[in-house]
C-alpha cells in the first residue's frame, strides 16, 4: 500500500491526435520557441464577426504585440489591418500561418506556404487550430521543413505558457522551482 | 538510473508540492503568497474592456479569479489529470455550479443513489425548483441506469466511493454508458482523492471534490473544486455550444474549445451564483494538499486495520469497507482503488430498532479519541450516527435506498496511532456491554 515512486499520470489536454502524432505536431518546446520567436502571424479565415473564435484570437495576438495579417477573400480591413485574399499574395515574410479553415481547404493553404519557402520569401510555421485537422497536409508541411502544429489554439497556448490562462485555472503543466523571468 | 534529456513527466508527489506555483519574478516567494484582495488594477481602459470580453486572460475581481486560488486550481488539475479546474466556496457549490453550467430547465440527470445526504437533497429538492429532474438508481444495477436515461438526460452522476456504505462506482462501465448517450459522466471523487483514484483516467468527464475533506485534511477550511477532463465533445451540447445570452451570445465551445465548459462555469455561473472561495481558504487547502499522498497512505492503512478489527468483533453485525474481501465491491475497489478504498466507512452494531439506536448513542458518547461531528476526511478520527444527523432529511425510502439504518455508525479514520484508535473502540464496546448487562 505504500506510496512508492511517483504515480505519474499523463495529461492529454484534449486532442484527437495519437501520442505519436502529438510528439510530431504538439511539441511543447517547439510551441514555446515559436511563440517566443514569431513576430508576424497570418490568420487564414479570420472573420470580421466579433463573436467568432478567430476574431478573439486575432485581437488577443495583436494585444500581445504580434503583427497580425488577416487572410480572407471577402474583407478589406479587419482589426485595423489590411486583409489579403490568400497566403500567396502576402508581400512580406510571415512567421506563422495560423489556419481557421475547414480541413479540406488546408491542403491548398499548405501548398501556398510551401511555395513561399521554395521562392525564398519566408519559411512560415503551419498552425492548424483546434479540431481543424488535416494530417496529410501536416505531413507534407513537415516534409517541406516547416514547423507544424496541429489541433491547438494559438491564443490558448500563448495564454497557457505566458501565465494568463493559469489565472483561469488551466493546467499549464509548467513545473519549475526557478524564479519566473518576468 | 539513466538520465535522458528532454521534458520529464513529473510524478504525483512532485506535482503535489510544485504544480501551479512558479516563484514570481519580483519577490521569489517560495511559499504560495496569499492574495487577499477583492480586485485588480487594470493596465489601461482598453485592456479592461478586453478582460471583460474574455479576449484577454487576467484577474478582474476575486469572485471570478484570484492568484492564490489559481495555484490551488492548477495543482488540483495536475493531480487529477484534468485540463483545468475551478475552485469554489464548498463541495456543495462545486456540484451546483457544475450542474448549473450544464443544465437548463426541463433537463434530467441520472444519479447513483449512494450519495452524501446533502447531495441527495440538492439533486432532488433544490434542482427540482429549477425544473430539473434527477432520477436516483442503484449504482450496481446496469439496467436501472439504462432505463432511467431519456432523451432529456444531460449527465450521469455518482461518487467514486459512495457515502456512507463505501460502495465503489464502476467508473469504466458508466463512462462507456455516458459515451453511448453522448453525455458527460460527473464523478464526486471526495472520498478517494486523486491519490487513490483518478476518474478521468477511467473516462469521467467532470470530477468534483469537497476539498473540505482529505484534500485540505486539517478540517479548518471549506472549499470545493470542479475539474474537466477536456475530453468531452461539447460541440453538440446546447448549454456549452449555443450562443450564451448572459455573455453577449458568446459561443463558449467555439471560442475556448476543450476549455469551454470551465470558462462558462467561471465567467458565467460563478459570476452569477457568487459561490467564490476566500483566497485565505485556498491557501489553507494548499497547505494540506502538499502532504496528500503521505496522509492518504496512513489513512487507508489505519482504516484497513480498524475495519478488520471491527469485522471480528462480537458486538458488530457488519462492516462495510470495500477494503475487506467481505464487501460486495471488493473487486471493484481492487480495480479502481488499488492503494486502498479511502478511510471513511460504516459498521452496524448488533441489535434492532430503538434499542440499537440507543446503543449507537451510548457507543459514540463513550469514545474518547474519535470526535463526534458531521465531517469526514480530517487528520483526526471522526464518528457519527448518520440516521439521526447527516441523513436525517431523507425519507424512509431514501434512507433505505442509501442503505442507512439505525444501527449504522460511520467512521472517518484519522492519522492517530492505530493502537490508540483500537484501544478507544475497545473501551467503547466495553462500556456498551456493561450497560447491556446493567
Ligand atoms: C462526498 C461529498 N460530497 C460533497 C460534500 C459537500 O461538501 P462541502 O461540505 O464542502 O460543501 C460532502 C460533505 O459534506 C461529501 O461528503
Amino acid at each position: 500500500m505504500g506510496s512508492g515512486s511517483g504515480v505519474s499520470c499523463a495529461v492529454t489536454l484534449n486532442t484527437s491526435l495519437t501520442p505519436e502524432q502529438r510528439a510530431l505536431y504538439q511539441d511543447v518546446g517547439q510551441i514555446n520557441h515559436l511563440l517566443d520567436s514569431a513576430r508576424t502571424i497570418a490568420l487564414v479565415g479570420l472573420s470580421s464577426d466579433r463573436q467568432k473564435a478567430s476574431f478573439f484570437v486575432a485581437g488577443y495576438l495583436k494585444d500581445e504585440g504580434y503583427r497580425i495579417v488577416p487572410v480572407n477573400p471577402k474583407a478589406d480591413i479587419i482589426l485595423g489591418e489590411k486583409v489579403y485574399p490568400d497566403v500567396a499574395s502576402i508581400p512580406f515574410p510571415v512567421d506563422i500561418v495560423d489556419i481557421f479553415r475547414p480541413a479540406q481547404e488546408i491542403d491548398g493553404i499548405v501548398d501556398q506556404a510551401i511555395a513561399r519557402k521554395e521562392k525564398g520569401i519566408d519559411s512560415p510555421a503551419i498552425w492548424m487550430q483546434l479540431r481543424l485537422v488535416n494530417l496529410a497536409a501536416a505531413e507534407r508541411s513537415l516534409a517541406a521543413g516547416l514547423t507544424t502544429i496541429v489541433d491547438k489554439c494559438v491564443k490558448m497556448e500563448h495564454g497557457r505558457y505566458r501565465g494568463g490562462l493559469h489565472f483561469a485555472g488551466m493546467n499549464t503543466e509548467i513545473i519549475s522551482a526557478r524564479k519566473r523571468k518576468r | 538510473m539513466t538520465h535522458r534529456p528532454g521534458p520529464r513527466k513529473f510524478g504525483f508527489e512532485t506535482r503535489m508540492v510544485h504544480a501551479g506555483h512558479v516563484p514570481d519574478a519580483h519577490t521569489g516567494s517560495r511559499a504560495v503568497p496569499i492574495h487577499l484582495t477583492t480586485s485588480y488594477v487594470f493596465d489601461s481602459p482598453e485592456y479592461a474592456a478586453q478582460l471583460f470580453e474574455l479576449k484577454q486572460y487576467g484577474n478582474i475581481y476575486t469572485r471570478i479569479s484570484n492568484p492564490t486560488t489559481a495555484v490551488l486550481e492548477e495543482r488540483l488539475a495536475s493531480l487529477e489529470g484534468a485540463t483545468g479546474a475551478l475552485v469554489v466556496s464548498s463541495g456543495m457549490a462545486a456540484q451546483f455550479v457544475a450542474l448549473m453550467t450544464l443544465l437548463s430547465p426541463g433537463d434530467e440527470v441520472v444519479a447513483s443513489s449512494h450519495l452524501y445526504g446533502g447531495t441527495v437533497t440538492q439533486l432532488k429538492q433544490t434542482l427540482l425548483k429549477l425544473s430539473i429532474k434527477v432520477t436516483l438508481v442503484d449504482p450496481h444495477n446496469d439496467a436501472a441506469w439504462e432505463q432511467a436515461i431519456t432523451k432529456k438526460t444531460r449527465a450521469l452522476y455518482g461518487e467514486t466511493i459512495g457515502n456512507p456504505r463505501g460502495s465503489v462506482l464502476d467508473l469504466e462501465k458508466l463512462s462507456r454508458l455516458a459515451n453511448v448517450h453522448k453525455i458527460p459522466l460527473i464523478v464526486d471523487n471526495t472520498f478517494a482523492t486523486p491519490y487513490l483514484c483518478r476518474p478521468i483516467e477511467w473516462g469521467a468527464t467532470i470530477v468534483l471534490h469537497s476539498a473540505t475533506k482529505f484534500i485540505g485534511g486539517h478540517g479548518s477550511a471549506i472549499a470545493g473544486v470542479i475539474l474537466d477532463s477536456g475530453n468531452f465533445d461539447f460541440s453538440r451540447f446546447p448549454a456549452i455550444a449555443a450562443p450564451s445570452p448572459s455573455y453577449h451570445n458568446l459561443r463558449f465551445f467555439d471560442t475556448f474549445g476543450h476549455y469551454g465548459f470551465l470558462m462558462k462555469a467561471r465567467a458565467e455561473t460563478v459570476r452569477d451564483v457568487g459561490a467564490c472561495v476566500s483566497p485565505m481558504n485556498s491557501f489553507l487547502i494548499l497547505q494540506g494538499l502538499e502532504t496528500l499522498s503521505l496522509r492518504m497512505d496512513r489513512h487507508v492503512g489505519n482504516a484497513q486495520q480498524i475495519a478488520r478489527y471491527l469485522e471480528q468483533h462480537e458486538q458488530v453485525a457488519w462492516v462495510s469497507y470495500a477494503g475487506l474481501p467481505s464487501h460486495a465491491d471488493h473487486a471493484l475497489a481492487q480495480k479502481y482503488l488499488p492503494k486502498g478504498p479511502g478511510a471513511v466507512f460504516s459498521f452496524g452494531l448488533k441489535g434492532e430498532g430503538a434499542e440499537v439506536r440507543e446503543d449507537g448513542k451510548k457507543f459514540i458518547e463513550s469514545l474518547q479519541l474519535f470526535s463526534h461531528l458531521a465531517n469526514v476526511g480530517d487528520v483526526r478520527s471522526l464518528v457519527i450516527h448518520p440516521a439521526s444527523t447527516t441523513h436525517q432529511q431523507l425519507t424512509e425510502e431514501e434512507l433505505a435506498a442509501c442503505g442507512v439504518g439505525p444501527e449504522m455508525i460511520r467512521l472517518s479514520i484519522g492519522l492517530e496511532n492505530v493502537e490508540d484508535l483500537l484501544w478507544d473502540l475497545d473501551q467503547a464496546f466495553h462500556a456498551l456491554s456493561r450497560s447491556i448487562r446493567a
Side-chain angles (χ1 to χ4, degrees), chain B residues 90-92 95 116 119 159 163 188 190-191 210 212-213 222-223:
Chain B
S90 69
M92 294 303 284
Q95 299 166 189
Y116 164 56
T119 304
E159 293 177 1
N163 202 331
D188 179 334
T190 300
F191 279 24
S210 166
T212 317
K213 319 298 181 197
I222 290 182

Side-chain angles (χ1 to χ4, degrees), chain B residues 92-164:
Chain B
M92 294 303 284
Q95 299 166 189
F96 190 70
V97 166
L99 292 167
M100 279 305 96
T101 305
L102 292 174
L103 305 175
S104 305
D107 287 348
E108 298 181 3
V109 173
V110 180
S112 158
S113 59
H114 292 199
L115 298 175
Y116 164 56
T119 304
V120 174
T121 39
Q122 183 187 72
L123 295 182
K124 292 295 285 184
Q125 310 300 331
T126 301
L127 290 188
L128 191 62
K129 293 185 199 168
L130 304 168
S131 301
I132 291 159
K133 183 184 150 199
V134 180
T135 310
L136 298 180
V137 297
D138 169 359
H140 294 329
N141 185 339
D142 297 353
W145 285 96
E146 285 272 9
Q147 277 161 21
I149 296 173
T150 73
K151 282 212 286 289
K152 295 180 187 164
T153 305
R154 291 284 172 271
L156 304 184
Y157 190 101
E159 293 177 1
T160 312
I161 302 172
N163 202 331

Side-chain angles (χ1 to χ4, degrees), chain A residues 2-21:
Chain A
S3 146
S5 63
V7 191
S8 93
C9 55
V11 175
T12 59
L13 292 169
N14 190 55
T15 175
S16 55
L17 304 195
T18 65
E20 293 73 33
Q21 291 163 342

Side-chain angles (χ1 to χ4, degrees), chain A residues 1 9 14 166 168-170 172 180, chain B residues 23 74 85 201 230 259 297 339:
Chain A
M1 229 176 261
C9 55
N14 190 55
H166 161 74
M170 179 172 270
T172 66
R180 258 190 221 284
Chain B
E74 181 167 350
E201 291 175 3
Y259 220 67
D297 278 334
K339 291 201 221 56

